[in-house]
Amino acid sequence: MIWAANGFNWARVREIPPDALKQALAMGYLRWSRSLARYAKGADVVDVGCGMGLHGVGFLAEGANSYVGVDPEVKPRSSIMKDLHNGKRIDCGWTPEALMARMSRFEMIRGLSNDLEGKREFDLATLHNASEHLVQLEAVFASVHRLLRPGGRMVFSHHNWFSWNGHHQAPKTIDKIQPQNPEHTRYFDWAHLEGEFPADSYVMTKLNRFRLSEVRALTEKQFEIEAWKPTLSTPDQGAGRLTDAVRKRHPDLSESDFTTQSVWVVARKKA
Ligand SMILES: C[S@@+](CC[C@H](N)C(=O)[O-])C[C@H]1O[C@@H](n2cnc3c(N)ncnc32)[C@H](O)[C@@H]1O
């Protein structure tokens, strides 16, 4: 009953194995779905770039009609999933296959969103910490557009490459800076914007490095933006460390390019 008191959809929660719900809570997977609850209720949800995680448990708890996560990294028989609190992979005791066997409205599919086109339709598409990783962002947005029913929404949070820790490498917070460590000096205090990185490195292959204005323009090609909510970096994420020397090295970047940690976007499918 505690779950009903928390505002979850009791009918849906009863379909979720209690231990899977506990794991989802413990690993931080009930927060994103909670922030999208008003869009998720009664919706068929597709989670593009779902990773190995339990966001789907949260969406069902919020009353989604169904959940499909799609990602090339889905491993149907692995129970090693990411703990969102610290990014560590842990054995949560549940594989995608086991979850699918217990919940008829829950699917995790190894593949790309394109694989679902023409077969499935959705009311809500979500990308959690995924859009900054999609090198073919425009193509993925176009695919999402095709997957959505008329009036359907796409909601995503985008981590800004131009923020202090937009590189996704150590140090991610200022307390972790090792000033003598060359693996840190190439990234922190916006050094990553000037760094020369091998073509096969993480920052070159796993991050698209779009300006927020570009993300907005790509979104607006096929969606009406209903909400665009930037979150500024906090002091532990580098706020207050921007200097005139950095500004001078990047005259093309605005203050908000440097200081916006992420942006939350709600966008409605254009006809
Ligand atoms: C940082 S992870 C985020 C995973 C998950 N959404 C989360 O909240 O932890 C980004 C994911 O995007 C996936 N990805 C990259 N390109 C993709 C594509 N074209 N279609 C679907 N997923 C993709 C990657 O495999 C990766 O699992």
Side-chain angles (χ1 to χ4, degrees), residues 83-235:
D83 185 330
L84 286 184
H85 296 301
N86 52 25
K88 290 192 177 140
R89 311 265 159 188
I90 60 168
D91 187 344
C92 73
W94 288 92
T95 66
E97 267 188 6
L99 290 164
M100 287 164 66
R102 293 286 299 273
M103 295 182 284
S104 59
R105 300 163 190 270
F106 177 101
E107 287 174 74
M108 285 176 73
I109 297 173
R110 185 183 182 93
L112 301 172
S113 56
N114 309 59
D115 302 333
L116 303 173
E117 289 176 28
K119 300 175 196 154
R120 307 290 291 266
E121 283 190 316
F122 302 92
D123 308 294
L124 174 66
T126 152
L127 299 92
H128 180 260
N129 293 351
S131 56
E132 67 270 22
H133 297 283
L134 303 174
V135 180
Q136 306 292 340
L137 185 61
E138 185 170 1
V140 175
F141 281 177
S143 174
V144 166
H145 186 270
R146 289 189 289 272
L147 287 174
L148 286 173
R149 297 190 175 107
R153 288 187 174 87
M154 171 172 76
V155 182
F156 63 95
S157 69
H158 182 92
H159 186 176
N160 175 24
W161 161 256
F162 299 90
S163 66
W164 186 84
N165 61 8
H167 43 72
H168 289 222
Q169 304 297 303
K172 290 182 180 169
T173 49
I174 62 164
D175 58 310
K176 299 285 189 310
I177 295 175
Q178 297 167 4
Q180 310 306 328
N181 182 344
E183 277 308 307
H184 283 204
T185 52
R186 68 199 305 221
Y187 294 112
F188 74 82
D189 286 347
W190 290 275
H192 69 288
L193 301 185
E194 291 132 52
E196 299 264 322
F197 300 102
D200 61 352
S201 62
Y202 181 93
V203 294
M204 298 302 284
T205 60
K206 303 282 188 195
L207 294 170
N208 55 33
R209 307 188 302 283
F210 281 123
R211 296 271 290 271
L212 292 178
S213 56
E214 293 174 301
V215 174
R216 187 170 185 126
L218 287 177
T219 308
E220 285 177 330
K221 281 192 173 185
Q222 292 182 291
F223 297 84
E224 302 280 356
I225 293 182
E226 293 185 328
W228 178 273
K229 291 189 186 159
T231 298
L232 295 181
S233 302
T234 55

Side-chain angles (χ1 to χ4, degrees), residues 5-18:
N6 281 341
F8 289 120
N9 181 304
W10 182 237
R12 285 282 176 280
V13 166
R14 282 200 312 193
E15 296 168 11
I16 301 171

